[in-house]
Amino acid sequence: MERGNSEKTVGVEQTDERRAAGKVAAVRGAIVEISFPALALPAINEAVLIERGDGEDLLAEVQAHVDQNNVRAIALRSTIGLRRGQRVIATGRPVETPVGEAVLGRLIDVTGAVADDGPPLPAQTPRRSIHRPPPALARQSRGTEIFATGVKAIDLLTPLAHGGKAAMFGGAGVGKTVLVMELINAMIARYKGISVFAGVGERSREGHEMALDMLRYGVLDRSVLVYGQMNEPPGARWRAPLTALTIAEFFRDERRQNVLLLMDNVFRFVQAGAEVSGLLGRMPSRVGYQPTLASEVANLQERIASVGDAAVTAIEAVYVPADDFTDPAVTAIASHIDSMVVLSRQMAAEGMYPAIDPIQSSSVLLDPLVVGEEHAGVATDTRRVIEHYRELQDVIALLGVEELSVEDRRLVGRARRLQRFLTQPFVVTENFTSIPGRSVTVAETIAGCKSILDGACDDWPESAFYMIGPLDEAREKAARDRPQAPAADGGAR
């Protein structure tokens, strides 16, 4: 993804409010130590411009005051080629990103520089600081409208809220990005608001694929892609979500439009913050994370809020290191989430995709007063039956299912059918599986699970429920696979 280089400086509004000049004193990786005259130090989170002399200034953000003359700043671009003595300008402003209609359909980086093949943004494009306080609690609205996704396991067990925050938690290789991509495919095409995608630590290949997918769906002109790529300095990855949030807040507050905010991967935001903290020389905290972990996550998550009739709906992917859900980063992120979708490695190993764990996943919306008595009851019964099956798995492995009671055998059969019914082929995996994707309504999902729980499908083979859409497809597969009865004049005794 090539950046446009026709703008000499990006990330701050071009004004003459430059207050003081300093010099580069030391360069330590992505950290630049800068000397300023006494009593003229730039503020924390203020942007400074390092004049490289090659036509493009390097943008950095002040993170620490070392003494009365020196500050440490985190570079938002590569520091290769920097040397001591280069002139540094204090801008008197924080890092700013372009916002508004001009960024729709564009792929930009953390500083607002275009990273696609298009022309540079117009000079009159408005800019906003990436550091903004969350809206006051009195102004925030909390919607209880269900955001239907067409994914059975999510709509039944962890319903998403219009104007809420949902996160997909899972270790490496269990399907987080595929699930997020399917949700984008399912929701963005029929979504009437603005979509903002934050790629934190993403590969350039993934950025190109996302842009091409949105172009194919015909929604790129209503979307903004913000990338802090994997090969960029930690400062760029650390601030990319704030850039995306600032764009989303502009459409929410000044255009009164609904915004769908997508982030992949929030753990890399925490990881970048840990890198910055280590480079600044701060003492590490639990498991080596930065001591400011909780406040950094809170500053990000608390800005994702709905105000009045304009909602920001967030869907985030969260990597779980070593499948440890007690990891400090995971618990810090989970405390801010409305709908928690947990992906299971065991289910993925069994081929149960999406590998959503029905027991660990949860949602604050799964309440009879919100989703209705029937939905909440079917979801609770589904969890109860599957959990009972898991309790019996050790007994089944040792003695076989034949040693169970009649009632337990019946519940085990229904649990296995429910697990398979909650699998589903995705549109985004059609090229790999050759199985057309399915989208299932909430009513069809509830009706299918209720039929299985009531025993209406006890005589259907389990294979009929695997990788299907609504229950009608299982009925057709069961009828097709059922052995034909012998002719009346053939097998008579």
Side-chain angles (χ1 to χ4, degrees), residues 46 197 199 234 258 275 278 342 384 432:
E46 183 176 324
F197 181 85
N258 293 331
E275 290 182 51
V342 177
R384 177 181 56 81
F432 308 103

Side-chain angles (χ1 to χ4, degrees), residues 342-383:
V342 177
L343 300 176
S344 164
R345 185 169 301 281
Q346 180 181 352
M347 294 184 65
E350 295 172 356
M352 301 296 177
Y353 289 106
I356 296 172
D357 191 319
I359 310 303
Q360 296 189 65
S361 301
S362 61
S363 172
V364 297
L365 266 70
L366 197 59
D367 186 291
L369 298 177
V370 178
V371 298
E373 293 283 351
E374 184 183 36
H375 186 160
V378 170
T380 301
D381 290 343
T382 299
R383 281 201 175 102

Side-chain angles (χ1 to χ4, degrees), residues 158-236:
T158 61
L160 310 188
H162 178 69
K165 287 175 277 192
M168 318 299 161
F169 292 85
V174 296
K176 294 183 303 299
T177 299
V178 171
L179 185 55
V180 170
M181 290 293 294
E182 180 67 15
L183 292 178
I184 292 171
N185 175 76
M187 300 165 70
I188 206 170
R190 63 172 180 264
Y191 192 71
K192 302 304 180 187
I194 301 299
S195 302
V196 181
F197 181 85
V200 186
E202 293 288 274
R203 305 163 184 84
S204 58
R205 169 186 59 78
E206 294 169 329
H208 285 297
E209 288 176 357
M210 176 66 70
L212 291 173
D213 286 344
M214 289 188 170
L215 183 64
R216 187 172 71 250
Y217 301 146
V219 297
L220 187 60
D221 59 340
R222 292 186 286 111
S223 304
V224 185
L225 306 178
V226 181
Y227 275 84
Q229 291 177 219
M230 186 176 286
N231 64 318
E232 294 191 77

